[in-house]
Amino acid sequence: MTEKTALTPATHTTPPAKFSHGVKKGNILQVAGQVGFLPAVEGQAPTPAGPTLREQTLQTLANVRAILEEGGATWDDAMMIRVYLTDVDHFAEMNAIYNAYFEEQGLKEAPAARTTVYVGLPKGLLIEIDALAVLS
């Protein structure tokens, strides 16, 4: 049986509860929901990238990417991306940011994706993204 490995990149804080930022087992890598916190600074509380959806979306994608890379994956290995927004009015803006980001990344084939509105994020956070990757 393949071992399960927890993934926490150096850019991320230690999770506040018993969970991992990502988990890899065999060729499957699940990235837990990530938000737009800037890279961790020892002794400081997590800080959002900024108040705008753009700032938070780009940082959130960077945080997901860091976990993918920690597990030996790339965006091209992503099979599913789930986006959670706190405001239904952010759909169009997020889609534009998302499309431009992945165009810049040179993504060969787009993963399956879904977006939903979720109001349970901590105050000030506008977006959360998780991903499922299968490594070749």
Side-chain angles (χ1 to χ4, degrees):
M1 177 151 281
T2 306
E3 297 263 340
K4 183 168 71 172
T5 305
L7 303 170
T8 300
T11 54
H12 288 54
T13 59
T14 300
K18 191 149 180 73
F19 69 87
S20 300
H21 287 292
V23 174
K24 182 177 174 184
K25 184 169 183 175
N27 67 336
I28 306 290
L29 192 162
Q30 175 66 56
V31 177
Q34 300 295 302
V35 294
F37 287 142
L38 293 169
V41 175
E42 186 72 33
Q44 291 184 8
T47 305
T52 70
L53 181 65
R54 178 174 185 73
E55 291 166 311
Q56 289 189 26
T57 299
L58 292 174
Q59 186 61 53
T60 300
L61 288 165
N63 293 342
V64 171
R65 182 178 177 176
I67 296 164
L68 289 171
E69 290 174 351
E70 184 81 6
T74 69
W75 283 118
D76 283 314
D77 297 310
M79 299 296 293
M80 179 69 175
I81 296 174
R82 287 173 292 268
V83 178
Y84 305 90
L85 297 172
T86 59
D87 188 333
V88 71
D89 293 334
H90 288 163
F91 269 90
E93 182 182 358
M94 190 286 299
N95 283 339
I97 296 164
Y98 181 96
N99 288 340
Y101 175 84
F102 282 113
E103 188 172 313
E104 289 172 12
Q105 298 300 307
L107 192 64
K108 293 180 183 113
E109 294 292 334
R114 77 173 302 249
T115 303
T116 191
V117 175
Y118 172 72
V119 295
L121 293 178
K123 185 176 170 72
L125 293 177
L126 305 173
I127 187 168
E128 179 177 333
I129 299 174
D130 68 46
L132 174 67
V134 177
L135 289 76
S136 22

